[in-house]
Amino acid sequence: MSDAELRKGQIVAFQGYAEPLAEGQEALLEQGDLLRIDNIKVEGGVENYICFALERKGEDGKPVGESLWIDEIEATGKQEHEPPELDEKAAKADAKAKKAAAKKTAAKANGKKTAAKGKGKKGKLKTAKVEKEEEPIVIEDTKAVSTVLKEHDDAVEAARSLIEQGRQVEFTLGGVLYHIYAEGIHKAHGYEGKQGFAEFIDKELSIHYRKAMVLISMYKVFTDHGLDELTIGEIGWSKAAAIARITRARDDKGEKIGDELLDKHFDALVDFGRPRLVQLAVMVDRGHRELPIRADFVGLNLPTGLDETVEVGPSTVRLGRPRP
């Protein structure tokens, strides 16, 4: 993505999907497709760009639409353009906006008349402007995240420590990155503006913005449902990532439905494919058990010495000679 700020109505080029598509999922766009940004929505602090293709159409004859992240599109030098198929939609929106403006003007005029009636010797009535305060983001820390944050001076040092440990702690890393992002810790390091977080993790932590947002999204999805690192280990990383991606789902009108779908089917998605019971079967049990694991099904109990071997054939089991 270029440094230029993307805006509604701008023409961009599709750069390809940042994440591999799920099995059976069809790619709606191809690299190089020109798109028009129809809307920009911020969800959980992440910007989603609702784009429509200028030339590519679906089976219904309408422009193909897709919700994309900033790393999947690139600004072009082309002028803003309104596809013919969207003209009717734009005209309706324009008419709606004009109607709303007319109502606002009429309401303002009525308000002036009411205020004039309320004037007295003390002068005009004064109204105070009340600004709505943003609700603080509450982060649910897993035990692992809480521990690693306590072990280090700040979240940045905790993130560096986790990065050195590799992929097995990436879920915990997502929680620490969430702290950095939500609390604006990157700003204290001199990284301001809309791209401040992306620049910070790239230069200071050597993590790509896309990967960081995927880790944060996965952490939020599972901790919001009361699950932690143990659950990720049980269901597998690939499946967990696929579940987290459901939050980006939208209907054919571009409206976000992912959170509703996930809340409704989360337990079933997590349990799908997970075995209810794991049992162990062995052909020969020689004893000499070194781990706290016991076979549930044993074909033959055959006590042996530590230096003896067992040869298993199609229909026979033979004790071999001691090893030299």
Side-chain angles (χ1 to χ4, degrees):
M1 189 206 72
S2 65
D3 293 332
E5 182 178 348
L6 299 179
R7 61 189 181 278
K8 184 177 178 180
Q10 187 173 356
I11 304 303
V12 295
F14 181 59
Q15 300 299 296
Y17 293 99
E19 290 181 354
L21 297 177
E23 185 177 354
Q25 184 178 1
E26 181 181 0
L28 299 178
L29 301 170
E30 292 183 4
Q31 187 172 358
D33 281 350
L34 291 180
L35 316 170
R36 178 184 182 276
I37 300 177
D38 185 66
N39 200 359
I40 302 174
K41 295 186 177 181
V42 179
E43 297 158 357
V46 182
E47 291 182 338
N48 286 279
Y49 297 83
I50 314 303
C51 301
F52 287 88
L54 299 186
E55 299 178 1
R56 190 175 299 279
K57 298 181 180 180
E59 296 179 356
D60 57 359
K62 297 180 180 179
V64 170
E66 182 76 300
S67 174
L68 302 171
W69 284 10
I70 196 168
D71 288 342
E72 297 173 323
I73 53 180
E74 181 80 19
T76 67
K78 295 181 179 297
Q79 298 296 322
E80 296 181 6
H81 171 70
E82 184 74 37
E85 292 81 358
L86 299 179
D87 284 346
E88 184 178 350
K89 179 181 177 181
K92 290 182 179 179
D94 185 56
K96 186 177 180 180
K98 289 181 178 179
K99 187 176 181 180
K103 288 184 178 180
K104 187 176 180 180
T105 301
K108 189 175 181 181
N110 290 334
K112 287 182 178 180
K113 291 179 181 179
T114 304
K117 292 180 180 179
K119 289 180 183 179
K121 294 182 179 180
K122 293 184 179 181
K124 298 181 180 179
L125 295 174
K126 295 183 179 180
T127 58
K129 184 179 180 181
V130 179
E131 295 184 358
K132 185 178 180 181
E133 296 183 358
E134 293 185 2
E135 295 184 2
I137 298 176
V138 179
I139 303 176
E140 296 290 340
D141 287 342
T142 63
K143 184 177 180 180
V145 170
S146 179
T147 299
V148 75
L149 288 174
K150 290 178 181 178
E151 291 176 347
H152 295 82
D153 294 335
D154 58 26
V156 177
E157 290 303 318
R160 290 192 175 114
S161 173
L162 292 170
I163 292 170
E164 292 177 357
Q165 296 180 48
R167 293 199 62 181
Q168 66 270 22
V169 293
E170 282 193 337
F171 184 79
T172 306
L173 176 60
V176 175
L177 291 175
Y178 190 22
H179 272 277
I180 295 174
Y181 180 82
E183 296 170 7
I185 296 175
H186 56 284
K187 296 178 181 178
H189 291 259
Y191 292 87
E192 301 283 349
K194 289 186 176 182
Q195 303 304 317
F197 178 71
E199 293 175 358
F200 171 78
I201 59 173
D202 179 50
K203 295 179 181 179
E204 303 295 335
L205 300 177
S206 298
I207 300 179
H208 194 270
Y209 173 78
R210 178 69 178 190
K211 178 179 179 179
M213 298 315 296
V214 168
L215 294 180
I216 291 174
S217 175
M218 288 183 64
Y219 184 84
K220 287 178 57 181
V221 166
F222 284 90
T223 55
D224 285 349
H225 289 83
L227 305 180
D228 56 13
E229 287 83 355
L230 181 60
T231 304
I232 300 297
E234 290 176 350
I235 69 175
W237 186 261
S238 297
K239 180 177 176 180
I243 292 174
R245 278 199 297 269
I246 294 176
T247 58
R248 299 179 58 198
R250 295 179 181 275
D251 59 18
D252 54 1
K253 297 180 180 179
E255 297 297 326
K256 192 172 184 294
I257 59 173
D259 289 336
E260 182 180 349
L261 287 173
L262 197 59
D263 290 341
K264 186 176 180 180
H265 303 289
F266 184 82
D267 291 338
L269 289 169
V270 170
D271 291 336
F272 180 76
R274 180 191 291 184
R276 295 182 180 178
L277 178 67
V278 177
Q279 294 181 307
L280 174 64
V282 298
M283 297 182 67
V284 179
D285 187 349
R286 301 177 54 192
H288 315 302
R289 191 171 294 113
E290 297 179 359
L291 297 174
I293 300 175
R294 182 176 180 178
D296 299 286
F297 304 96
V298 179
L300 176 65
N301 283 296
L302 183 62
T304 66
L306 289 173
D307 58 348
E308 293 179 306
T309 61
V310 175
E311 297 178 3
V312 179
S315 58
T316 60
V317 176
R318 186 174 63 179
L319 185 63
R321 294 181 178 181
R323 298 171 182 170

